[in-house]
Amino acid sequence: MRTNNIFNHKKLMFLFLIGSIGFTGCKKFLDINQNPNNPDSADPSLLLPTVQAADGQIVGNAFQVLGNIYAEYWTQSPSASQYKVVEQYVQANSYYDRVWNTIYRNALVNAQLIINNKGAGLEYTKGMAYVLKAYTYQVATDAFGDIPLTQALQGNAYGSPKYDTQQAVYDSVFNYIDKGIALLNTKTSVSPGNQDLIFKGDVSKWIAFANTLKLRAYLRISYKDAAKAKAGIAALYQTNPTFVAQDAAIQYSTVGGNENPFYNEMVGLGKTQNVVASGTAVLALKSNNDPRLRKLYNKVPSDNTPAGDTIAYILQGTYQQNPTKKVSFPTPLVAGDANDPASATVPVKLISLSESYFLQAEAVARGFAVGDATALFKSGVTTSFTATGLTAADANTYLASAPDANIAGAVSLEDKIKIIITQKYYAMNGLQGFEAWTEYRRTGYPTFLVVSKASLLGAGLMPQRFIYPNSEVTTNLSYPGTVPVTTPLWWDTTN
Amino acid sequence: MKHKLLRIFMVCFFCSASMAFAQNKTITGTVTAREDGLPIPGATVKLQGTTTGAQTNANGKYSLSVPAGSKLAFSFIGYTTQIITVGAQTTIDVTLVSDAKALSEVVVTANAIVREKRSLGYSAPTVKADELTEGGSASAISALTGRVAGVNITSTSASPGSSSRIVLRGGSSISGNNQALMVVDGLPIDNSSITGGADSRSSVDFGNRGNDINPDDIASITVLKGPAAAALYGSRASNGALIITTKSGKKNTEKTSINFNSQNTFSSILKLPDLQNEYGQGYYDDPTANPVTYINDPRENGSWGAPFTGVVQPWGQEIDGVQQTKAYSAVKNNLKDFFTTGYAADNNLSFSGGSDKSTFFLGLNALNSNGILPGNSDSYNKYGVRFNGNTDFSNKFSAGISINYSNVSNSQAAGGQNASSVYNNLLQTPRDIPISQLQDLTNKYNGYGYTDANGIAHPNSYGYYGAYVLNPYFVLQNFKNLSNVNRVTGNVNLGYKPLNWLNITERIGVDNISDRRRFITPKYNFVPADTESGNYSAADRQTNVGAYQIDQYNITEFVHDLMVTASHKFNEDFQGSFMVGNNIRQRGTSTTQTSTNTSGGLVVPGWYNLANSNGPVNVITDNISKRRLVGLYADLNLSYKSLIFLEGTARNDWSSTLPVQNNSFFYPSVSGSFVFSELLKSTSLANVLSYGKLRSSWAQVGNDTDPYQLLSTFARTTINGSFGSTTFPFGSVPALQAGTTIGNINLKPEKTSSFEIGTELGFFNNRISADFSYYKNKSKNQILTIPIPNSTGYGFALINAGELQNKGVEVSLRGTVVKTENFSWDLFATYTKNNSEVISLLPGIDQISLGGFGGMGIVAAVGKPYGEFYAVTNQKDSQGRTVINPNTGLPVATSSAQYLGSYNPNYQASFGTSVKFKQLSLNVLFDTKQGGKLYSRTKDITGFNGTSAETGGPRFGVPFPNSSYLKDGVYVPNTDVTYVKQDLYTGGVNPGVDIIDASYVKLRSAALSYTFTKSQLRGTPFGALTIGLYGNNLFLWTSKENKFVDPEVNSSGAGNAQGFDFSSQPSVRNYGIDLKVSF
């Protein structure tokens, strides 16, 4: 090492001399600007897991917190403060900087780079990238409404991408899904294999995922544009679609940096338990005598009373009024216990199996598709039970007795939708909070959500969207202005 | 030509030889200065018309053998030459008078070239050693504050080792480096600053590398403000340069001069936020009840509780069945009492001397300081050795060496908003908590882990009252941010003067820095000791997985300069010189940052080693870089009498960092000076105007960029959440992602052009002198790394864009009010006004973002000054009233960001006075900056916590001051809708509200010293002795709306994102006593 250094000095001195005498060696002397630290190209198979892990962070962390609080499964703990602003319904623009960054710079741009790649044998990888792009855009527009799309992801070509309407974004989502499915149907191509964190390169599962996503997206616009939703779903069913037969999920491990993103976030926050059981969800589960209650929330620490075997909650947003109350936490089953490492290995569900059944049940109930809505509904409830470690028998007991599961008693379409969405709400507790809140905004179900006690919005108002990030406010010259959190989204006709 | 010169040479030689045979006698004597009567060592005594001469020794004595009747010339720099004809006497004592006309005042300019000040076509003020050291500042840069017009210095905390940023004439670059180049003895040195921590929000100020220079080693600093002055340094000097000349020995000294200087400095906190003293710990229960009910939650960090009652009541945890009690009243000085008095000992010992051929200077320096935080967690220890030596060889060669080694070990507390930020934890102390009494961590109510009365250990329990913040004393003891720097800077130069008119100089320098940093975060898991009262729950745990991080930074820079100078005297009046040179430099860096697994942390608590990582070690950064630059330059100087001087320079650079097709860039400069007072010499006007000079210059400087900026790249995937992150490899799956910045393969060099005109005037035998400058700088084709919307898919783009203009005036005045033998009184003042304006950016784009944090953006917008705050703020109606939401009474946010002012001051000024009475001397210096803005997180967090003064007063039942709301399409004054203060401040204040006026006036420095006379020292071993009291950063007056922070505090240290107080370490006032002795 040392001799090497001396040699370099000598070499340098020699080069100095050359430089002083003339510039014959100058060109070579100055040709040292190749970056030794970072590659300037990347194989699509290396970009694919980036897109997936980014979606894992979006749905499994940032939107997980916001969604589970706005869906009122969880509420801010009286013993901490991190999500008080969420409960107050009023956040600064900068609150959304991080997740917007993850959406565009981790998920979408890398999906786009896969799609742009000119290499051979990339049909499957590109198909997955299209489906993930559609998935990400849908999540983003369901959060923020109008967002950059046509001019987005093009670097300097559009330095200030304009905002497209949510309607246009949805049109693009359908388009991307179609392109993805077409590519995934390619006869011969190369699977990315284990570089695919979701389905390990299984193309048929990706097609099922794409179909389910399409169903989700059409149903989302069903109130705003029923004809389009109906036509789109009918066309989908024409293709004899498969739907997901297992959760579309990313599996995490206990290795540092590879844990469930929300658990990893809690570790970063010093394992502070910020989220606790909300009265909204707990009371609803209790009133249906739902055995999932004890799977989703832990018992209050028994140091309070020897018989501490209750699920204790506080009402949504009442952290200030209950400073010393001992409250149940979400369990490690939903990655909600900051101090139980079992939370680390919990998957992030992009679309769950039970959600798939509920989507199909709704499509059939609405007459957009043909099938047995009740059977699909019951499969939705049953798979939700089994996903929490309960049995099909437990589900049957519940289906037979729970008022909120009484599909047989639902006469009108609206009654059926109410039951289906309310059960979907129960099924999404903890792991699909954002989707549950989004479906609440779409349908108004379940009906038992309340205004957070900590709200600073004014009487009766609830958030209907997230506000644009500060990074766009200060850098995007096409910034359309901050839309208030109380303004409903385009597809939201319930207000 | 050559022969002619040779002939002259021969004649001279024979002349002097023949003189030796004439009738000679030996003359001895002493040369003294009239001002102080002290001997002048190193003065020249020369036999007129010959090369025969001698120099005075350390005692001002000389001895010379000369023929009778000859004429002797006594000269010394800065003094009028005296000519005395040798008569019968053998002793000639001469008293030299300082040259009031500053005729021979010399200035060290670019490439260590010494020039007469009068010949310069640009402003180049020089600050001498005594001015630099009189305030006792440990940083040579911050010691310049207020000394020179046109210089904007921001010293963060003013404690030893903290950052100082120096910008000359406004920033020329929008997002690049704006600081002046530092040059020591001809060698440009590194003045980078790498802030510890991820960004300004968790910053650890390890200072800037310019701090490594020991102020006591410095003989003078010349400030070359504009590109004209610095054009020869090329690219790096587009922001001007500080030409630092270190001390050297004097020739022909009889004995080695030994100087010892010891400074003992004490520091105390300068400014803390103004706090309310009405409400204590807790928060409201029911704001609609009458009276309002409160919850006195003992875990709280907020002061939103009930009004103080003074009643003794329990507080904190109940441990072993006992809860402490105290009066429920404000502890007014609870923050102030936390801080202790800092102490720094700065000792300098130097040896210097010289023979007739050689000189040397050896300086030793030790600076040991412990800052104002309790304990020794904020310490700064610097040891330095400097050796300067020069020798003239008989064969027309001369050689010199200048070498400096320094070792700096630095331990600093983190600022910002993280758990490890001491100040952040401290600021979040309720007004009734006596924080300074919670220092004893063995006390079970203060600490973490305790043993109860029965001898049972509770290692996992904590007794501290706060559940959301840590005891700052615990943080100080357990979180460490350490840096150890080893640095060698030096150059060797070789001069060869083959002919009288030809001079060849070769200089090779190296600057080698190694900075090894270690960051220690303890691993702990504590639950409240209180399981009885029900006030605390197991959920109130304090947990950290622990971390250990090592950052290693290496910088190696080589510089070579070869200069060939030819000078020629065309006739008595007309002279010229021409220099051509070659410059090559190479800068290599390597950076590695490695930490234990981010979420796994440490396995074993207390063992800080990467081998103790719980999970894979996290490689944060592993980078190397190398850049080279080759330059060719030429410099032509012409002078006519001492009346007119002209200079032209030209330089071409080739840079490795630019694309091959654009990597060569050429830039010229011209400057001139016209000493018009020479024409008035014989007129009566000369009695009034003793010196007058007009100067002007125009110059251009090119600039390159950092290495590896041309191509977009990919990086290993890390997907960040807000506090956690998903990192790859994911299991065994590797991944890459698009890099942050879009590269630019067509990058062009930047060009800064500047025009300057100025005058220097001296009146009444220079008792009053004035210096005015007007300048206009334009930077074009700026290389900018600009934040772009993330919706583009990228975070930053590298572009060539923009034209930024800085124009301004600089005025310095100096006057002697009284001057008698025993008493003198001098005044001086400077005034600087710089207007920066963004002229253009990109085609079709009139605004770009420069950076920002916490909802606050800083932008460059066409027509606005560089660095404008841009943020969402409270909406105002047309009458300036705050618009509120009539449902809640709370202010409504603007739907888009607003321009909220620039951090650049409107003007800055300084005023100093110096009084000497016999051996006593007093120097005082004030400086001010007026009109800039500052974002204060200290304001934000003390508002959030309900401790700042503005959260005092009525908290319920009153409308927001001067507010209105929209009713039927018009804004009506709000007299009825009330708001809840706690909801406003804890619900997230709009970031624009935290922008405050950064204006200030500071008593920058003051010094009182007493110098003993020779007669007083007779019989002692001392040659000279001075004792003094001094202080710097002594008093601060801020604007009315700044009740929070010293506006100079800056979280990004010396970085470009200025104007951010992110609850970084508060600044200090320094004062002390010093002793200067020479033997």
Side-chain angles (χ1 to χ4, degrees), chain B residues 10-25:
Chain B
M10 298 285 277
V11 170
C12 286
F13 178 78
F14 284 117
C15 283
S16 46
S18 60
M19 298 261 181
F21 295 103
Q23 191 73 306
N24 274 7
K25 64 180 192 174

Side-chain angles (χ1 to χ4, degrees), chain B residues 62 65 73 197 224 248 250 390 465 479 548 578 627 657 673 695 723 746 764 858 864-865 914 967:
Chain B
Y62 73 94
S65 174
L224 302 183
S248 55
K250 291 194 171 73
N390 272 296
Y465 79 91
F479 291 75
Y548 178 64
F578 183 67
R627 66 191 294 173
T657 65
S673 108
R695 55 170 200 258
F723 294 87
N746 296 312
F764 306 111
I858 290 186
K864 302 234 169 248
S914 143
K967 193 179 181 185

Side-chain angles (χ1 to χ4, degrees), chain B residues 625-642:
Chain B
S625 79
K626 192 179 272 186
R627 66 191 294 173
R628 288 178 182 150
L629 185 123
V630 176
L632 278 180
Y633 50 83
D635 180 9
L636 176 69
N637 278 288
L638 296 170
S639 68
Y640 176 71
K641 293 186 172 168
S642 8

Side-chain angles (χ1 to χ4, degrees), chain B residues 886-944:
Chain B
N887 293 320
T888 60
L890 299 174
V892 175
T894 56
S895 76
S896 58
Q898 309 291 310
Y899 297 112
L900 296 167
S902 158
Y903 61 76
N904 292 308
N906 289 344
Y907 70 88
Q908 45 177 335
S910 68
F911 172 76
T913 182
S914 143
V915 180
K916 283 199 174 82
F917 177 67
K918 291 188 174 168
Q919 292 131 272
L920 265 181
S921 105
L922 172 71
N923 294 292
V924 179
L925 178 66
F926 290 87
D927 82 306
T928 180
K929 285 181 194 170
Q930 292 290 327
K933 299 279 183 184
L934 156 86
Y935 170 79
S936 176
R937 183 182 178 265
T938 303
K939 177 176 194 279
D940 192 61
I941 190 69
T942 54
F944 179 83

